[in-house]
Amino acid sequence: MVDLRVDLGGLVVCNPIMPASGTFSEGLEQVVDFNQLGAFVTKTVTRERRGGNPTPRVAETSSGMINSIGIPSDGIPYFIDHTLPFYRRFATPLVVSISAPSIEGFASLAADLSRDGVAAIEANISCPNLEEDGRAFAMSARATEAVVRRLRDATALPLWVKLTPNVGEIADIARAAESAGADVLTVANTILAMAIDTETFLPRVGNVMGGLSGPAIKPIIVRQVFQCARAVRIPIIGCGGIMNATDAIEYLLAGASAVQVGTATFVHPAALTTIIDDLTAFLVRRGIERVGALVGAVRLTSPEPVETLVAAS
Ligand SMILES: Cc1cc2nc3c(=O)[nH]c(=O)nc-3n(C[C@H](O)[C@H](O)[C@H](O)COP(=O)(O)O)c2cc1C
């Protein structure tokens, strides 16, 4: 009845709802009908096997959680031999999230993963650039431009670039990624945060600082999606604190063409499919035929005459 399809840089997905990298895994097929999802997004994969950060790796905070998982990875051979065949069983397109400490590392990973069964690459550039100052690529427009340009040469697949929210002017980074050839921007990764246990005086995650996710970050990331949507022409995927369909709709109104859902899945394992159902019900109830009609539809001027607003305040 309603058309939920969206075009994400040449990859047309059947609906705009998908998991956020690192918050979704193979076992979830017990509770979620994988074929209903707009796409799969894998946990970030690195070339080598990597352990994670020291424990504890997760701490709950008010309206959110801090994680310092640290991208543990089984490496590329395992990914190709085990993870890819698992996802090939489903009709849902597979987006592979990649990370590397150098530009060439990113490019060679993208080239090696541009193979059958992979529908798009999501470059997680919120990782340290070890060839320069160790700051995340996505913290500088110049480093973003350099890594995305090289990635663009390395793969013909749709190239999604995931930004960090830990910057002053995210629109500048978005423009740099677009001009270097990104097809889609994912906005955004977690917000750098810290929590301290007042009994032990120890940081609550083993790596001292970690990434804040969940409802606590949603208004900040909605603002960044809005800013990015005004700065670039390529589609944006909103990600941060989406717990239900209303949150997803808010992101679409701010300018996102699709959304990724992370922390909500830890709270309600079937959150993704509930959001798809409730988004569909919203569109039917409002008589909106295409989900695309919501994208960027925020109204910045009130339909009410100013005098009415003043009288009501
Ligand atoms: C436990 C955990 C692991 C994550 N791992 C990754 C990862 O491997 N790659 C990545 O790009 N983002 C990773 N993220 C960030 C999420 O993909 C997402 O950007 C962030 O959590 C904000 O969305 P949310 O508030 O819906 O969780 C992780 C988040 C959490 C909570």
Side-chain angles (χ1 to χ4, degrees):
M1 285 233 287
V2 288
D3 186 355
L4 290 176
R5 285 171 305 170
V6 287
D7 183 336
L8 299 173
L11 174 64
V12 178
V13 295
C14 66
N15 70 65
I17 312 295
M18 66 189 80
S21 174
T23 62
F24 179 85
S25 69
E26 284 86 302
L28 271 175
E29 90 221 70
Q30 318 280 340
V31 277
V32 176
D33 177 359
F34 278 11
N35 287 313
Q36 275 191 47
L37 304 179
F40 296 121
V41 183
T42 67
K43 170 141 193 75
T44 298
V45 58
T46 57
R47 180 163 295 285
E48 279 87 30
R49 277 180 71 92
R50 282 165 55 102
N53 282 334
T55 58
R57 292 179 177 173
V58 175
E60 268 190 55
T61 60
S62 318
S63 305
M65 63 183 261
I66 297 179
N67 88 81
S68 69
I69 307 280
I71 314 193
S73 168
D74 290 320
I76 281 296
Y78 181 93
F79 185 83
I80 289 172
D81 293 343
H82 296 91
T83 313
L84 270 187
F86 171 85
Y87 284 109
R88 275 210 193 96
R89 293 165 29 209
F90 304 95
T92 306
L94 178 69
V95 181
V96 179
S97 167
I98 61 169
S99 175
S102 67
I103 290 179
E104 282 314 309
F106 260 109
S108 75
L109 259 185
D112 289 353
L113 286 165
S114 296
R115 54 175 65 217
D116 243 20
V118 179
I121 300 284
E122 182 175 85
N124 172 10
I125 61 167
S126 307
C127 57
N129 175 0
L130 295 187
E131 286 176 332
E132 290 213 2
D133 52 9
R135 289 195 316 153
F137 289 91
M139 290 187 69
S140 126
R142 200 180 46 76
T144 297
E145 158 113 38
V147 70
V148 174
R149 199 167 289 292
R150 186 69 188 88
L151 276 164
R152 182 66 291 164
D153 287 343
T155 182
L157 288 175
L159 176 59
W160 300 6
V161 176
K162 184 168 179 181
L163 304 186
T164 176
N166 301 312
V167 291
E169 294 294 340
I170 197 163
D172 291 348
I173 313 290
R175 276 191 215 97
E178 179 184 49
S179 73
D183 295 306
V184 172
L185 300 178
T186 302
V187 180
N189 217 307
T190 49
I191 294 185
L192 191 63
M194 183 172 174
I196 301 170
D197 184 322
T198 52
E199 292 302 318
T200 62
F201 296 12
L202 289 169
R204 290 182 52 211
V205 291
N207 209 37
V208 181
M209 290 177 270
L212 183 64
S213 64
I217 71 172
K218 194 190 71 177
I220 298 170
I221 311 294
V222 168
R223 181 265 297 174
Q224 294 191 327
V225 164
F226 177 76
Q227 291 177 310
C228 289
R230 306 199 128 213
V232 300
R233 302 176 67 92
I234 53 178
I236 290 167
I237 300 175
C239 177
I242 295 171
M243 303 304 280
N244 51 45
T246 308
D247 295 336
I249 292 162
E250 198 177 339
Y251 270 98
L252 299 175
L253 295 173
S257 296
V259 296
Q260 296 182 350
V261 177
T263 302
T265 295
F266 298 132
V267 185
H268 304 293
L272 282 156
T273 42
T274 306
I275 292 173
I276 297 168
D277 293 345
D278 293 350
L279 171 63
T280 309
F282 172 87
L283 294 170
V284 170
R285 179 165 59 78
R286 296 292 296 259
I288 301 169
E289 285 172 12
R290 284 185 322 107
V291 73
L294 293 178
V295 177
V298 58
R299 295 163 75 169
L300 298 177
T301 50
S302 168
E304 308 274 346
V306 175
E307 307 80 69
T308 322
L309 288 175
V310 171
S313 66

